[in-house]
Amino acid sequence: MGKIIAAANQKGGVGKSTTVVSIAAYLGSRGKKVLCIDTDSQGNTTTGLGIPKKGLSCSCYDVLIGRSRIQDAIVKTEFDNISLLPAVSALAGAEIELTELENRVQRLRMALMTCRDDYDFIIIDCPPSLSLITLNSLVAADTVLIPMTAEFLSLEGLSQLHETIKIVKSKYNPGLKLEGIVFTMFDPRLNLSLQVVEEVEKYFPGQVFQTKIPRNVRLSEAPSHGKPVHYYDRASKGAKAYEMLCHEMLGEPLEPDTKPRLFLFRKK
């Protein structure tokens, strides 16, 4: 049975889609069968995996409103062991349609019950809002991965998301757990960044990943080429950082001789 991870943060521009695509690419290269689900109408994960949005006959939108089976909407990508449930702009209007449907917060969960055994990991890219679609993702997930930037405004968003997770656990998905918090676009030279990390670690002890994803040009360039950074430039700092993050997520030790120290933050 595949593990379902929802990457969520209602604040936009935190590298959520990049995180989903990068993790999927590395896990796929390790032989894990991965399904990415793009529930964001902007379709950044769809673009990042090289799937043209124009001409798609089925998408996540069709699955959520019950127009299509999930198996008919999933497409294979050119990357090892990665499949995708793509997004189209019509998802922006799905909120209104979902309010009139039965089981409106459990529709993604019900769809995934029919295919989760086909994958080792299912990774959901949530929209940057606490919407019905985000709720569908949290209800369907086993764990929540929270990418965030080291900015004080991000702390408020983290608090709101944490409250939402508690509500989802109490009402719909008691088994939901926090996969962890990962800092993206991280610059250890800034005192503000270090202060924010310290604050988050205080309130979420043991739940912040040691690996921090740095700002990296290759990470920014990769989506425009329709490739995960793992395929665009595997030797780049961004690709190495996401490899280390995956090691942490899988519970694998970070070998001392192979640690790219730049990506690990330790408080003095």
Side-chain angles (χ1 to χ4, degrees), residues 17-19 21-22 25 44-51 78-79 216-234 236 238-239 242:
S17 299
T18 297
T19 297
V21 169
S22 301
N44 291 336
T45 289
T46 302
T47 300
L49 288 172
I51 301 299
E78 64 180 284
F79 309 109
N216 180 243
V217 173
R218 293 305 200 187
L219 279 176
S220 301
E221 292 175 345
S224 66
H225 293 268
K227 294 181 179 181
V229 70
H230 185 79
Y231 287 86
Y232 180 62
D233 187 351
R234 188 169 183 173
S236 67
Y242 275 113

Side-chain angles (χ1 to χ4, degrees), residues 6 8 39 64 95 98 104-109 124 126-127 129-141 161 163-165 167-169 171-173 176:
T39 66
L64 285 173
E95 289 288 319
L98 283 172
R104 60 185 182 181
V105 300
Q106 301 196 47
R107 300 186 71 81
L108 183 58
R109 179 190 206 170
I124 307 171
C126 301
S129 62
L130 296 178
S131 60
L132 266 177
I133 293 178
T134 300
L135 285 176
N136 262 271
S137 301
L138 296 178
V139 170
L161 178 57
E163 289 302 311
T164 300
I165 291 171
I167 292 171
V168 170
K169 285 186 66 172
K171 290 189 174 183
Y172 305 108
N173 187 1
L176 184 64

Side-chain angles (χ1 to χ4, degrees), residues 187-219:
D187 188 344
R189 299 170 298 179
L190 301 178
N191 287 332
L192 176 61
S193 297
L194 307 184
Q195 291 168 12
V196 171
V197 169
E198 189 170 2
E199 192 74 10
V200 173
E201 288 183 334
K202 183 197 306 183
Y203 288 100
F204 296 90
Q207 295 180 306
V208 179
F209 285 106
Q210 185 182 5
T211 303
K212 308 294 186 285
I213 310 301
R215 290 188 180 275
N216 180 243
V217 173
R218 293 305 200 187
L219 279 176

Side-chain angles (χ1 to χ4, degrees), residues 140-188:
D142 299 314
T143 64
V144 185
L145 175 67
I146 306 177
M148 67 177 289
T149 53
E151 302 170 350
F152 275 118
L153 286 178
S154 297
L155 294 175
E156 183 177 346
L158 178 61
S159 176
Q160 293 172 352
L161 178 57
H162 188 241
E163 289 302 311
T164 300
I165 291 171
K166 288 198 292 187
I167 292 171
V168 170
K169 285 186 66 172
S170 65
K171 290 189 174 183
Y172 305 108
N173 187 1
L176 184 64
K177 296 179 181 179
L178 182 60
E179 181 75 25
I181 299 166
V182 57
F183 282 95
T184 59
M185 307 177 202
F186 188 73
D187 188 344

